[in-house]
Amino acid sequence: QVQLVESGGGLVQPGGSLRLSCAASGSIFSIDRMGWYRQAPGRQRELVAGISSGGTTNYADFVKGRFTISRDHAKNTVYLQMNSLKPEDTAVYYCNAEIETFIRNVADYWGQGTQVTVSS
């Protein structure tokens, strides 16, 4: 009954920008935290950025000053604005959210992932 759908990935040159979006839909009572993770081939999935229901943000050191996470509560959507992209940012980016449904179950949900490739 709950799903996350990401969009905005693609191919971009070094120094370029992309904006990722993730919209949650279904029987949602509330959303606590939302965040973005990424995973490159042969690497563990790692946190990129997170945002709480109150708007508090946290970022991995490797994206500070370049990426910005934000959310629109009315649309149940989280965004990741990525600027000054580097080849090492190449990965599959996954949306994650902690969601309480109308039957009061709380669980983590994941999107299917969107590919970001930074290459000249």
Side-chain angles (χ1 to χ4, degrees):
Q1 294 188 194
V2 175
Q3 63 179 358
L4 306 179
V5 179
E6 301 117 323
S7 62
L11 175 65
V12 65
Q13 295 185 6
S17 298
L18 287 172
R19 187 181 71 164
L20 306 183
S21 299
C22 173
S25 62
S27 300
I28 299 171
F29 177 75
S30 65
I31 302 176
D32 186 6
R33 58 169 177 78
M34 302 187 81
W36 291 94
Y37 292 73
R38 71 186 188 188
Q39 187 168 21
R43 304 290 182 86
Q44 290 191 73
R45 187 172 298 187
E46 61 186 352
L47 175 69
V48 177
I51 186 167
S52 73
S53 60
T56 301
T57 59
N58 64 289
Y59 298 92
D61 287 341
F62 51 80
V63 303
K64 284 184 177 178
R66 300 189 296 124
F67 293 7
T68 302
I69 188 170
S70 61
R71 66 190 290 177
D72 185 330
H73 289 88
K75 296 181 179 180
N76 290 330
T77 299
V78 64
Y79 305 93
L80 185 68
Q81 178 66 46
M82 304 185 293
N83 299 324
S84 302
L85 283 161
K86 305 174 181 179
E88 52 262 46
D89 294 320
T90 296
V92 178
Y93 285 70
Y94 297 91
C95 177
N96 171 260
E98 184 179 38
I99 297 174
E100 182 177 7
T101 69
F102 281 110
I103 59 172
R104 314 310 290 268
N105 288 332
V106 179
D108 278 346
Y109 293 85
W110 292 89
Q112 64 184 11
T114 184
Q115 177 71 47
V116 172
T117 302
V118 185
S119 176
S120 60

